[in-house]
Each structure stands twice: as structure tokens, then as C-alpha cells.
Amino acid sequence: MLEMTREEFEELVAEALDRIPPELTRLMDNVAVFVEDEPPAEDPELLGLYEGTPLTERGEWYAGVLPDRITVYRGPTLRMCERDGGDRQMVVEEVEITVVHEIAHHFGIDDERLHDLGYA
């Protein structure tokens, strides 16, 4: 397996977040980003997950709720990159795609549109 510590992977996620344009990050509201080693057992190849209420679905009722949660999974990302013959640079690129994909869900963009944009 491609070797990368959790700390190194967390740094890649932080760097991907830093590359999001400031005009978009200013619009993000009540969302937290986490790194986990493995996804839920029922979806072992999941690279990332958005859990929450997209900005496009929030109304007047939206107050006093826990933050939305974006999780990026280290294990499946490393395994996929290794399986595809990738290296550290491939991991960097995949982490960025995953981060953008999950943030897009926060903005209410669905998987079909993300696929059209190359972020599936």
C-alpha cells in the first residue's frame, strides 16, 4: 500500500481546503471537515462523505443545529491510488478532487452535475 501517515494525509486535506477560492470559502456556513482512516463497513471504497443540510435547502428553520460534516477517508484513497499505479502526486490530486466534491454537496450540487464537471 502507498505509505502515508494520517498526519501527512490530514495535511493534504488542509492544503486542498486552502486551494478553495476565498469567495467560496466565505460562503461556507456551519461545516466541519474531518479525516478518518476508514469509511463505514457498508461502503468500504468511499473516498469522502458529506453529511448535513446543503445551503440550498436551508430555510428560516435552520438554526441551532450541529455543523455539517465532511469526512475524507485515508484508507480507500491510498488503496485506489496504489491500485491505479499512482504515487504521492496522485494522492494529492485525488484528495483535492474529493474535497471539492464534498464541498460542492454543501453548496447543493448533486453527483450528476459533479460528474459532468469532472469531480465524480
Side-chain angles (χ1 to χ4, degrees):
M1 185 160 112
L2 279 170
E3 293 297 321
M4 183 175 291
T5 67
R6 181 165 176 152
E7 292 77 22
E8 290 172 311
F9 192 83
E10 287 172 349
E11 184 62 30
L12 294 183
V13 171
E15 290 170 2
L17 288 167
D18 287 345
R19 286 189 291 275
I20 302 295
E23 55 270 15
L24 290 179
T25 57
R26 281 193 292 273
L27 297 173
M28 293 173 63
D29 182 45
N30 200 31
V31 61
V33 179
F34 299 90
V35 170
E36 297 289 339
D37 288 327
E38 295 296 334
E42 63 271 7
D43 202 353
E45 297 195 14
L46 188 66
L47 303 182
L49 180 64
Y50 169 76
E51 299 170 285
T53 304
L55 295 175
T56 55
E57 296 178 17
R58 296 180 185 180
E60 293 178 19
W61 59 269
Y62 188 85
V65 298
L66 292 173
D68 291 3
R69 180 181 177 104
I70 291 173
T71 307
V72 181
Y73 298 105
R74 179 176 156 267
T77 303
L78 295 177
R79 287 190 296 274
M80 182 194 75
C81 290
E82 180 180 53
R83 182 177 59 243
D84 293 346
D87 55 9
R88 181 180 173 81
Q89 184 56 39
M90 184 181 209
V91 176
V92 169
E93 292 167 7
E94 193 56 50
V95 166
E96 186 164 332
I97 289 169
T98 302
V99 167
V100 169
H101 181 105
E102 302 311 331
I103 287 173
H105 286 320
H106 176 69
F107 283 103
I109 301 171
D110 65 16
D111 281 331
E112 183 177 334
R113 181 67 178 132
L114 286 167
H115 184 11
D116 292 342
L117 295 169
Y119 287 97

